[in-house]
Amino acid sequence: MRIITGKYKGRHFDIPRSFKARPTTDFAKENIFNVLVQYVDFEGATALDLFSGTGSISLELLSRGCSQVVSVEMDRDHHRFIQECIKKLTPSTQHPSSSIIPIRGDVFRFIKSCKQQYDLIFADPPYALKELPQIPDLIIEKQLLKEDGIFVFEHGKDYDFSKHPNFVEHRSYGSVNFSLFKATATSGE
């Protein structure tokens, strides 16, 4: 796993072979971030990474200048790995806790109790997750996006969200599919 660009460009992290998580491929990650620069000014943005897995997206967001990245992951080993990656990136004299907040917990509970709004939300749930089709509605209804905020949803090819009222566009890179949604002033009302 590597960071594509930004402050930590080129940094590599070896993912333990025992991990079940499938990190977003570098090819897909680079391409979706090239699309996102049309929607988000990363410098100073607040971001939420749901189903963080290896933390690849969280670290990329941090590297690109987000002022705060909240990373939510349920698996204990994956959460610990994310914490280790954060420590490797930031010298002890410059503690990153204000920039990246790794949370070990259930994404659905987090969404339900979250009171903060974000400029960008990224979610990469397991493709077989039975609640996967409801996630865009949960994000919009809970008003987790700031006005004009972007929600990036990674999913399998069997899903089509183009009829969703907040849908913006779909991108496909190999077997990786992204649907983008945008918050509006009336979202969730």
Side-chain angles (χ1 to χ4, degrees):
M1 174 178 90
R2 74 180 171 98
I3 296 176
I4 306 291
T5 198
K7 183 161 76 170
Y8 303 115
K9 178 181 179 176
R11 295 291 299 267
H12 283 79
F13 300 92
D14 293 323
I15 300 169
R17 293 180 192 265
S18 61
F19 274 23
K20 299 177 291 260
R22 49 162 179 72
T24 303
T25 65
D26 285 350
F27 174 74
K29 183 168 62 170
E30 185 169 12
N31 279 290
I32 196 62
F33 273 91
N34 286 341
V35 171
L36 288 175
V37 297
Q38 301 169 45
Y39 295 102
V40 179
D41 179 6
F42 291 102
E43 196 63 41
T46 57
L48 174 62
D49 182 13
L50 301 171
F51 306 96
S52 301
T54 61
S56 173
I57 298 297
S58 292
L59 298 173
E60 190 71 36
L61 291 165
L62 182 66
S63 183
R64 289 171 184 253
C66 286
S67 63
Q68 182 188 62
V69 179
V70 176
S71 176
V72 183
E73 173 54 45
M74 181 119 168
D75 185 276
R76 180 190 67 217
D77 294 334
H78 296 183
H79 179 260
R80 188 180 308 122
F81 178 75
I82 294 167
Q83 290 177 309
E84 289 169 7
C85 291
I86 294 166
K87 286 178 189 168
K88 288 177 185 173
L89 284 182
T90 310
S92 58
T93 56
Q94 190 182 13
H95 198 275
S97 62
S98 61
S99 303
I100 189 165
I101 303 165
I103 295 174
R104 181 173 171 234
D106 178 78
V107 165
F108 296 102
R109 284 188 185 152
F110 178 87
I111 291 171
K112 191 175 183 180
S113 65
C114 184
K115 303 291 185 236
Q116 184 174 347
Q117 289 187 313
Y118 300 89
D119 297 298
L120 174 68
I121 299 175
F122 193 100
D124 179 11
Y127 289 1
L129 186 73
K130 68 178 171 63
E131 299 92 349
L132 187 143
Q134 289 82 44
I135 293 173
D137 286 334
L138 288 172
I139 298 297
I140 300 300
E141 288 166 10
K142 281 294 291 175
Q143 299 180 23
L144 297 183
L145 285 170
K146 293 179 181 176
E147 187 173 339
D148 293 326
I150 291 291
F151 171 47
V152 181
F153 191 42
E154 185 173 334
H155 56 84
K157 63 179 174 25
D158 297 333
Y159 294 97
D160 178 4
F161 295 97
S162 60
K163 303 282 189 259
H164 193 282
N166 296 85
F167 177 82
V168 178
E169 66 176 288
H170 173 263
R171 295 293 176 120
S172 178
Y173 306 106
S175 63
V176 181
N177 288 266
F178 296 100
S179 289
L180 278 64
F181 304 84
K182 190 170 189 174
T184 60
T186 58
S187 293
E189 290 176 7

